[in-house]
Amino acid sequence: MTPTKYPSIQEALDTAIQAVEGGDIQRGEAALSWVLSKDPDNAVAWIWLACCAPDDTAREACYRRVSAIQGG
């Protein structure tokens, strides 16, 4: 299976947000993973990935990454 490619990070992020807001967590997580593969310090993507996290531990890891990116 070939990974989905997006024309831009912003388009992938927009797709991810729409998917998560619409309840399609799997699609949102896939788009966010693509964004983070291209831009690992994208704090917005990490915040939305926290919404896809299966448990509190994974969610907290996402928020810690955001904090580190923002210098906190």
Side-chain angles (χ1 to χ4, degrees):
M1 183 166 150
T2 304
T4 302
K5 295 188 179 175
Y6 300 93
S8 71
I9 287 173
Q10 188 58 53
E11 181 174 297
L13 195 53
D14 292 343
T15 296
I17 292 168
Q18 288 176 335
V20 172
E21 286 180 335
D24 190 348
I25 302 303
Q26 185 175 10
R27 182 170 167 240
E29 186 174 11
L32 291 165
S33 293
W34 185 89
V35 169
L36 292 169
S37 74
K38 304 296 181 195
D39 182 9
D41 291 334
N42 189 310
V44 173
W46 282 107
I47 290 169
W48 280 97
L49 189 60
C51 296
C52 302
D55 55 46
D56 290 341
T57 302
R59 197 170 4 270
E60 289 169 10
C62 292
Y63 291 137
R64 279 194 301 276
R65 183 67 186 256
V66 172
S67 181
I69 290 167
Q70 294 180 339

